[in-house]
């Protein structure tokens, strides 16, 4: 069995490269999951999740990767799982949770600007995105009705693994036999998402340009040295 970590916020591949250069470690990108699945080579895998979510489309992309994987797949919520991380988990054949994990299923959100026409279009787009999320959740064989899931997502609250099991959003709660879930495990809510600014992207691009120039200079120096040696041996 192969363990694959889905840890921290979900970002697209390019943004993940920038954030890692800035020192952020608790992030996951599609390329990370794809590389791990390729390395697993069809063996049984367990997706270990401790994530507040992030980009909805990244979550659904990872879901698709897991659905296409040839081996058996299991998702296990360890610390907490929310938002896009719950979408990624549905790509696995079995969804489990540790006792005491914090789970959150909510409506998609976004930032918009413009006049009232733009706001109306943004609201409609978010409602459509909500419907896409519902399609993912209701595709799980044991999930409750669409209306019940809408009511849950409207609340935007943490729920326990026992509640998620009742909603049919997970399949099993794993742990030591006879050990009940401890309500004291509820400790905190999700903080603000990492901010990836244009300045950060530019600094990263400047760094990569410098690395490229340094590499090119070293290659030119090697070529020049090789030519000198060739002339000396002529």
């Amino acid at each position: 069995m192969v363990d694959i970590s889905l840890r921290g916020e979900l970002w697209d591949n390019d943004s993940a490269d920038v954030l890692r250069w800035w020192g952020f470690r608790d992030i996951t990108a599609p390329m990370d999951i794809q590389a791990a699945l390729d390395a697993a080579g069809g063996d049984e895998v367990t997706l270990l999740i401790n994530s507040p979510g992030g980009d909805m489309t990244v979550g659904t992309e990872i879901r698709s990767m897991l659905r296409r994987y040839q081996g058996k797949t299991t998702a296990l919520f360890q610390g907490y799982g929310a938002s896009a991380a719950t979408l990624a988990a549905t790509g696995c054949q079995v969804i489990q949770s540790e006792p005491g994990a914090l789970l959150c299923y909510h409506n998609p959100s976004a930032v918009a600007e413009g006049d009232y026409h733009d706001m109306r279009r943004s609201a409609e787009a978010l409602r459509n995105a909500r419907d896409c999320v519902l399609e993912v959740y209701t595709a799980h064989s044991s999930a409750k009705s669409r209306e019940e899931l809408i009511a849950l997502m409207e609340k935007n609250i943490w729920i326990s693994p026992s509640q998620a099991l009742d909603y049919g959003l997970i399949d099993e709660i794993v742990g030591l036999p006879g050990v009940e879930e401890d309500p004291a495990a509820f400790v905190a809510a999700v903080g603000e998402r990492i901010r990836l600014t244009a300045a950060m992207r530019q600094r990263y691009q400047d760094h990569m340009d410098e690395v490229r120039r340094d590499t090119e200079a070293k290659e030119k120096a090697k070529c020049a040295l090789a030519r000198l040696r060739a002339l000396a041996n002529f």
Side-chain angles (χ1 to χ4, degrees), residues 14 33 97 137 161 199 203:
D14 288 342
I33 303 300
S97 178
Y137 291 154
R203 284 281 302 278

Side-chain angles (χ1 to χ4, degrees), residues 134-173:
L134 282 167
E135 288 183 4
V136 170
Y137 291 154
T138 55
H140 200 61
S141 58
S142 59
K144 284 196 172 183
S145 69
R146 187 175 187 274
E147 290 69 27
E148 289 173 297
L149 292 178
I150 288 176
L152 171 64
M153 293 168 66
E154 291 286 342
K155 292 179 181 179
N156 191 19
I157 59 171
W158 292 108
I159 64 174
S160 69
S162 296
Q163 290 170 300
L165 184 63
D166 184 56
Y167 275 103
L169 293 166
I170 67 173
D171 301 303
E172 301 169 356
I173 301 174

Side-chain angles (χ1 to χ4, degrees), residues 6 10 47 49 56 58-68 73-77 82-96 104-105 132-143 149 168-171:
L6 192 156
L10 304 186
L47 186 70
I49 303 174
M56 172 183 166
V58 171
T60 53
E61 181 180 1
I62 293 173
R63 175 181 187 264
S64 177
M65 291 175 178
L66 291 163
R67 281 166 53 84
R68 292 168 58 86
T73 54
T74 301
L76 175 63
F77 290 111
S83 190
T86 65
L87 297 177
T90 63
C92 293
Q93 296 161 359
V94 178
I95 305 176
Q96 300 175 333
C104 184
Y105 304 81
C132 289
V133 171
L134 282 167
E135 288 183 4
V136 170
Y137 291 154
T138 55
H140 200 61
S141 58
S142 59
L149 292 178
L169 293 166
I170 67 173
D171 301 303

Side-chain angles (χ1 to χ4, degrees), residues 180-198:
E180 296 183 357
E181 190 175 333
D182 183 4
F186 189 100
V187 292
V190 181
E192 292 185 2
R193 193 173 186 227
I194 298 169
R195 292 189 62 192
L196 179 54
T197 65

